[in-house]
Amino acid sequence: MFEDSNIVVGLEIGTSKICVVVGEQNAEGAVNIIGLGQSRSRGVRKGEIINPEQVEEDLRSAVFEAEQMADVEIRSVYLGVSGSHIRGFNNRGMHTVVSAEREISEYDVQDVIKNAKAINLPAENTVVHAVRQHFFVDGHDGVTNPVGMLGARLEVDMHVIHGNANRLQNAIRLVRGTQLEVDEIVFNGVAASLALLNGDQKELGALVIDIGGGTTEYVVYSDGAIRHTGVLAVGGDHVSNDLAYGLKVPLSRAEKLKIEHGSALVLEESKGHTISITNELGLELKRINVEHLQRIMSLRIEEIFRLIAQELEQAGLTDYLRAGVFLCGGGSRVPGIVKLAENVFQMNVAQGHPGAVSGLTNTLDQPEFCTAIGLAKYGSLKNRKRAARPLFTPGGLKQAFGRFLHRS
Amino acid sequence: METENQNPIAETPGRPVVKIFGVGKAGTALVGALATPEFAEAQFAIIDTDADAFAGSPATVKIHLENKLLRGLGSGGDPERGRALAEEQFTTLKSACAGANVVFVLAGLGGGAGSGISSILAKAAREAGALVLAFVTLPFDCEGNRREAQAQTALEQLKAAADGVICLPCQKISKLIDENTSVIETFNFSGGFLLEGVRGVWQLLTRPGLIQVHFADLCALVRDRHAENVFAFVEATGVGRSREAVEKILAHPLLDEGRALADSDAVLVSLLAGNDLTMAEVNRVMEQVKRQCTHAQIIMGAAVDANLKGKLYVTIIAAKQSTANMPSRVEARASTPGAGGKHDVVIARQQRPRRTGGSKAVQTQLPLTIISKGRFDKSEPTLHHGEDLDVPTFIRRGVPLN
C-alpha cells in the first residue's frame, strides 16, 4: 500500500476533454509527470455532467491511456470541479486565546479557522476550499503563522470557495463508480493557478483566467494568498455556438472554422475576405465571411474578459494585479487573445505555461493541460503536508490506517 | 415636415425650427465653422465645461457647465464628470432645447465634455419634444485605447438617447491625408467632412422638396443602426454636372470609392439643384446609385433652390445593417405571429420607449424573445445581471452582420 503513495493523479472532467495526469513525487516533494491520458468528453456541458454513462466511458478510456503511459495502476485521483454553482468569498473568523500565558497554540489556530469557516452557506452548499489569507494578532495585520506568538485575540481572513453539494457529489460518485478513489476535490481555477504561478507572482498579485470549453474560471492572488475566485459558465463552446448561429453552419463545422480561421481581434487582412466551405466531394456549399467570423468571436471573448474585469473592479482588486494576467485553458489558444485581454484589462497579459512540474515537458506545455497538471501539483502539496505529520501520533496512525482500510 | 410633431411650428410654417448644439471643444469649433449665412435660420448653442472655449464663438447661447469641484479646469477628459454635470443641469439643457423641432448635436467623442454631455443633451432635447440627430466624430487610433473606449461607450449611449446618430471615425480620414498634412489641417479636414454631412441634412430639411425626404425617413435610416452610417456630400457644376456628381460619389473616400454603397442596406439620396434640374439628370444619378447598391432600399429626394443655378448637390447617407432590421419591416414581422424567431430580439431593441406624443403614434408590442441557443437550448441558462449569456453576444449587442 505504501509503495505507490508517491503517485499523485490529477483528473479533470472538462466540457471538451477528460484529462488524467499522473505524477510521481520524489523525496523532496517535487512532481515529475510520467503519464498523461485524455479523451474527448461528450457528456459534459458548462463544466457539469449531464450524461453520466457517457462520461464514465470517456473517463475509463482516459484513465486507461494514462495508466498505460505511466505504467502504474491508478487508485485515487484529485478531482477537479467547476460549474456556475461554485462561488468564492472572503470571511473573517475570530477567536480569543484562553491559555494563561497568552501564547497562541496550534489549537487556537485550528479554532479560529473553524470559526472563519462557520458561515451562513445555503443549506445545499458545501465548502470546497477554505484558504487562509492572513492572521491578525490583537488587530495586528499581516501575520502568516501566529503559532508561538503572544496575543489575546486571534483573527483570520479566509477565502471560502463553496458549491452545490449535490452537483459536486455527482462528479465524485461517478469517479467512485469506476473504482477510483477521490482523494480530494479541487476547484479547477485553483489548480490552474497552482500550475501557472510561482511564488513571486502570487506575492505581487496576479489574475489567472482559465478559458475552458464550457466554463471560464478565474482566480486572483495577491500577497501570496487567494483573494477572489469565480466561474463564468461561458467558454469555447459558446464561441462555437455563436459561430454556428451567426454563420449558419453546423456546430462541428463552426468548431473547425474557429480553430482554422479564428481570431480574438478582427484582423485587417480578413476584411472582405471570404472562404468557401466544401462538402466531402469538394463542391462548394457556402461562402463564409472571415470578418464576420472574427467579429463574432471577438465580441464573445471580449465579453468574457469584460465581465471578469467588471467583477474585479467591484471587488477593488484591479490595482493589486501587479504581475498581470495569465491566460490558460484551450480557449486561450485563439490568436490575438493576449492583445484583446490587454485592451480590456489595461495591464500585462501573458499566456501561462505550467512551470511547476517536470517531465514530459514538450507534451505538457499546452495551455489546456494547466488544470490537470495543477491538480497533480495540488495532490503533491497535500502529500507533502501529510508526510510531514509524524505517522505515530495517534491521529497520524489512525489516518494512515484508515487510508489502508479504505483502499484495500 | 414633421407636421405631426407636438410642438406648434413656430416661425415659418412648414419648416422645422432647428437648433444646433456644439458640445465640448470639437463641437464648439464645428459650430464656429457652421455659422455662415447659409445657416442663418438655425439657432446655435454651445455647451462646454471649459469657459475658455467660449470666447469668439458666434453661438447665441453659451452654456457653461461648471461646479466647484472642477475649479475651472474642465472635465479633465473624464466623461463621468461631464455626464454628472450635465445631469445636474438637466433642466437648463432642457429649457435650452425648448421650442425646437429638430436638434443637431455636434460633438467629438472620446474626451470628457463631448462624450459625457452629448447623450444627456440628446435626452433633454427629446424630452423637450425635439427630434435629435447627432453628428459625432470618433477619435483617431493614435489617441489611445482609453479615448477609443470612452468614445465607443459614449456612442452607444448616444445611440440610445438620440433619434439618429451619424458618426465619422476620424481614422478613416487619416487614410486620405498625406505625410505633410499638419495636425491643424487634419482636424479641420475631418471637421469639414462632418460639416458636409450637417450641411446635407440641413438642406434636406430646409429646402422645399419636389420629391420630399421626410425627416422621419432620415431618422428611420439612422436610428438604431448599430453600424456606422457613412455619408457623402458632393457638389458639381456645369453642363455635365450629373455625370460629374456620379463620378465624385463613386470616388468619394468616405464611401470607400463606392464600395460602401454596395455593402449598405438602406441609402438616402438627396439632390438639390437650381430650377434647371432636369429629370434626365435625376435619372442619371439615381441609375448609377441603384446600380451600385443592389441590395439597398433607396430613399430618394429632390429639391430645387432658385439660387443654385447650374449647381447640383448630392447628399448620400448609407446605412449598413441586415435588411431584416429595416424599421418598416419590423412592424410587419412583429405583428405576424410565428414570424421567425431570430429577429425578435432585434425588435426588442428597436422598440424602446418613445417620448410621448412622438411623431408616430406606434403602439409598442411585447416582442416574443424566442431565440435558439443552439447546443445550450436545454441546459440551465447562464444568467449574469439578467442577461442570458448563452445567447450569442453579437445578437445581444445588436452588431449587424450582413
Side-chain angles (χ1 to χ4, degrees):
Chain A
M1 86 176 231
F2 288 117
E3 74 272 26
D4 68 347
S5 63
N6 59 345
I7 294 290
V8 280
V9 182
L11 165 64
E12 187 204 0
I13 303 180
T15 311
S16 58
K17 64 170 190 340
I18 294 180
C19 183
V20 182
V21 165
V22 185
E24 193 177 30
Q25 207 173 358
N26 64 13
E28 286 86 52
V31 209
N32 182 30
I33 303 292
I34 54 169
L36 169 74
Q38 52 173 332
S39 66
R40 248 192 78 165
S41 172
R42 291 167 298 175
V44 182
R45 284 275 178 288
K46 298 183 189 173
E48 294 176 57
I49 295 163
I50 55 160
N51 185 345
E53 271 174 40
Q54 219 157 34
V55 174
E56 199 176 317
E57 199 184 312
D58 297 336
L59 173 61
R60 279 184 199 282
S61 72
V63 169
F64 178 73
E65 195 183 313
E67 282 180 336
Q68 291 281 306
M69 189 164 170
D71 198 20
V72 293
E73 189 190 341
I74 296 173
R75 291 189 181 172
S76 65
V77 295
Y78 285 85
L79 174 65
V81 290
S82 185
S84 57
H85 58 98
I86 294 181
R87 297 222 153 78
F89 66 95
N90 295 317
N91 195 38
R92 183 173 288 188
M94 216 268 281
H95 172 73
T96 316
V97 179
V98 285
S99 69
E101 64 271 27
R102 297 268 180 236
E103 187 184 327
I104 296 166
S105 68
E106 186 72 45
Y107 295 104
D108 291 318
V109 172
Q110 279 171 20
D111 257 2
V112 74
I113 288 174
K114 204 166 78 192
N115 288 344
K117 281 193 210 175
I119 33 160
N120 290 329
L121 288 183
E124 68 276 12
N125 277 24
T126 177
V127 173
V128 182
H129 296 281
V131 193
R132 55 183 103 159
Q133 294 168 338
H134 289 289
F135 290 97
F136 298 79
V137 177
D138 291 341
H140 188 76
D141 195 356
V143 180
T144 44
N145 187 5
V147 176
M149 289 176 73
L150 298 184
R153 201 181 58 183
L154 181 64
E155 287 166 281
V156 68
D157 269 345
M158 300 275 279
H159 186 75
V160 181
I161 303 171
H162 62 99
N164 184 304
N166 286 339
R167 294 186 183 183
L168 292 171
Q169 208 60 42
N170 278 340
I172 299 174
R173 275 178 51 133
L174 193 140
V175 175
R176 291 213 168 118
T178 62
Q179 309 305 318
L180 289 173
E181 194 46 53
V182 176
D183 286 321
E184 221 173 291
I185 54 170
V186 186
F187 173 52
N188 279 347
V190 172
S193 60
L194 273 181
L196 285 186
L197 300 182
N198 60 28
D200 288 346
Q201 288 157 341
K202 287 179 191 169
E203 204 60 50
L204 278 172
L207 164 66
V208 174
I209 303 178
D210 179 356
I211 308 170
T215 55
T216 298
E217 290 100 22
Y218 50 97
V219 173
V220 177
Y221 269 87
S222 99
D223 294 336
I226 297 177
R227 293 281 144 192
H228 195 92
T229 51
V231 182
L232 271 181
V234 181
D237 263 8
H238 283 80
V239 177
S240 305
N241 193 51
D242 290 2
L243 289 177
Y245 186 78
L247 304 175
K248 301 182 184 65
V249 292
L251 200 60
S252 54
R253 180 71 74 166
E255 190 86 37
K256 223 169 125 190
L257 286 170
K258 173 178 85 173
I259 292 163
E260 285 168 8
H261 301 278
S263 166
L265 295 164
V266 180
L267 301 175
E268 205 50 48
E269 65 260 30
S270 55
K271 292 214 168 124
H273 181 67
T274 58
I275 42 167
S276 58
I277 54 174
T278 52
N279 64 7
E280 61 272 28
L281 299 171
L283 294 172
E284 183 178 303
L285 293 176
K286 201 173 165 44
R287 292 194 77 78
I288 303 275
N289 188 326
V290 184
E291 185 188 344
H292 292 168
L293 185 152
Q294 293 177 348
R295 174 146 294 139
I296 293 171
M297 279 184 85
S298 166
L299 283 166
R300 174 62 87 176
I301 299 171
E302 186 184 332
E303 181 183 60
I304 295 176
F305 287 147
R306 283 229 183 273
L307 291 175
I308 296 173
Q310 264 167 24
E311 181 150 340
L312 298 192
E313 186 79 38
Q314 271 167 17
L317 289 166
T318 321
D319 295 336
Y320 291 93
L321 307 174
R322 282 166 294 169
V325 182
F326 296 85
L327 304 178
C328 67
S332 70
R333 282 177 167 277
V334 180
I337 196 164
V338 170
K339 191 111 208 328
L340 177 69
E342 271 172 356
N343 285 347
V344 174
F345 290 102
Q346 302 279 322
M347 58 178 89
N348 278 343
V349 179
Q351 284 275 8
H353 293 284
V357 290
S358 60
L360 298 179
T361 31
N362 282 343
T363 337
L364 287 168
D365 191 13
Q366 311 286 352
E368 56 264 44
F369 294 135
C370 277
T371 305
I373 292 170
L375 288 167
K377 166 98 179 164
Y378 183 92
S380 76
L381 293 176
K382 284 281 150 164
N383 272 354
R384 207 186 319 182
K385 227 177 255 174
R386 215 175 280 149
R389 191 172 289 164
L391 184 63
F392 291 103
T393 62
L397 189 60
K398 194 173 148 202
Q399 215 177 21
F401 204 62
R403 255 188 289 154
F404 172 68
L405 286 176
H406 212 95
R407 282 191 182 181
S408 45
Chain B
M1 304 173 194
E2 263 337 290
T3 40
E4 299 109 322
N5 201 306
Q6 61 173 16
N7 276 27
I9 289 166
E11 290 105 40
T12 37
R15 293 232 185 140
V17 179
V18 181
K19 285 193 179 177
I20 302 179
F21 283 81
V23 182
K25 207 168 215 164
T28 308
L30 287 170
V31 162
L34 266 184
T36 52
E38 197 186 343
F39 289 91
E41 291 168 48
Q43 301 168 23
F44 291 101
I46 52 173
I47 303 174
D48 204 350
T49 51
D50 194 351
D52 297 349
F54 288 177
S57 171
T60 45
V61 183
K62 296 175 186 182
I63 304 172
H64 183 206
L65 296 181
E66 171 65 78
N67 70 7
K68 269 191 289 205
L69 294 173
L70 298 186
R71 296 188 191 87
L73 292 173
S75 58
D78 184 358
E80 284 309 311
R81 277 191 222 169
R83 211 177 156 75
L85 273 176
E87 271 166 359
E88 208 178 287
Q89 307 275 343
F90 193 75
T91 42
T92 319
L93 296 181
K94 200 167 153 181
S95 59
C97 300
N101 298 118
V102 182
V103 167
F104 287 177
V105 179
L106 311 184
L109 299 184
S115 316
I117 299 169
S118 31
S119 60
I120 303 294
L121 173 66
K123 210 164 111 194
R126 272 177 73 125
E127 278 189 21
L131 278 161
V132 185
L133 197 60
F135 295 84
V136 295
T137 59
L138 295 181
F140 289 96
D141 281 359
C142 61
E143 289 178 61
N145 283 338
R146 203 174 96 96
R147 281 179 80 89
E148 178 67 36
Q150 285 179 357
Q152 286 300 342
T153 324
L155 183 62
E156 224 136 85
Q157 287 166 347
L158 196 55
K159 274 179 175 165
D163 285 289
V165 179
I166 290 178
C167 130
L168 173 74
C170 283
Q171 195 55 32
K172 262 196 178 160
I173 301 291
S174 69
K175 287 178 201 153
L176 310 178
I177 54 174
D178 59 24
E179 284 285 298
N180 301 323
T181 314
S182 71
V183 178
I184 300 172
E185 280 170 28
T186 311
F187 280 146
N188 285 342
F189 194 56
S190 63
F193 264 111
L194 199 68
L195 292 182
E196 277 185 7
V198 178
R199 201 160 143 210
V201 176
W202 168 260
Q203 290 183 347
L204 217 87
L205 292 176
T206 51
R207 302 299 149 91
L210 294 176
I211 306 167
Q212 197 148 345
V213 178
H214 286 276
F215 190 69
D217 290 334
L218 178 71
C219 285
L221 196 72
V222 291
R223 149 183 296 155
D224 285 334
R225 303 260 156 195
H226 296 265
E228 292 160 9
N229 299 290
V230 286
F231 59 86
F233 180 77
V234 299
E235 189 182 329
T237 46
V239 188
R241 59 186 181 176
S242 58
R243 210 161 274 139
E244 191 189 333
V246 167
E247 270 164 25
K248 276 190 177 166
I249 290 167
L250 295 187
H252 202 284
L254 282 185
L255 296 177
D256 287 338
E257 279 109 33
R259 256 171 295 162
L261 289 179
D263 294 340
S264 60
D265 293 290
V267 177
L268 186 143
V269 186
S270 158
L271 295 98
L272 176 69
N275 285 331
D276 51 354
L277 179 70
T278 64
M279 196 62 203
E281 284 174 327
V282 176
N283 237 338
R284 194 168 298 138
V285 174
M286 292 315 292
E287 192 87 352
Q288 286 300 321
V289 172
K290 255 186 209 157
R291 191 170 295 168
Q292 288 300 316
C293 29
T294 39
H295 311 295
Q297 179 201 1
I298 298 177
I299 302 167
M300 184 265 201
V304 158
D305 186 333
N307 302 328
L308 294 176
K309 201 163 167 56
K311 280 189 183 162
L312 173 66
Y313 294 113
V314 182
T315 310
I316 289 193
I317 302 176
K320 243 198 247 186
Q321 203 175 36
S322 71
T323 44
N325 297 347
M326 288 302 303
S328 53
R329 294 177 212 178
V330 161
E331 257 124 39
R333 270 187 178 280
S335 56
T336 321
K342 80 158 184 165
H343 305 299
D344 292 342
V345 166
V346 184
I347 295 164
R349 304 187 147 273
Q350 296 206 330
Q351 292 185 344
R352 55 152 193 261
R354 291 182 56 89
R355 80 205 133 84
T356 48
S359 54
K360 271 187 230 158
V362 183
Q363 182 163 8
T364 51
Q365 296 182 350
L366 281 174
L368 293 165
T369 46
I370 304 165
I371 176 151
S372 161
K373 297 195 289 180
R375 75 180 317 186
F376 304 112
D377 243 355
K378 290 189 185 66
S379 65
E380 184 190 5
T382 310
L383 293 177
H384 188 273
H385 296 305
E387 225 179 345
D388 187 352
L389 297 183
D390 290 339
V391 175
T393 316
F394 72 97
I395 294 196
R396 276 179 283 126
R397 296 280 146 80
V399 176
L401 304 168
N402 42 320

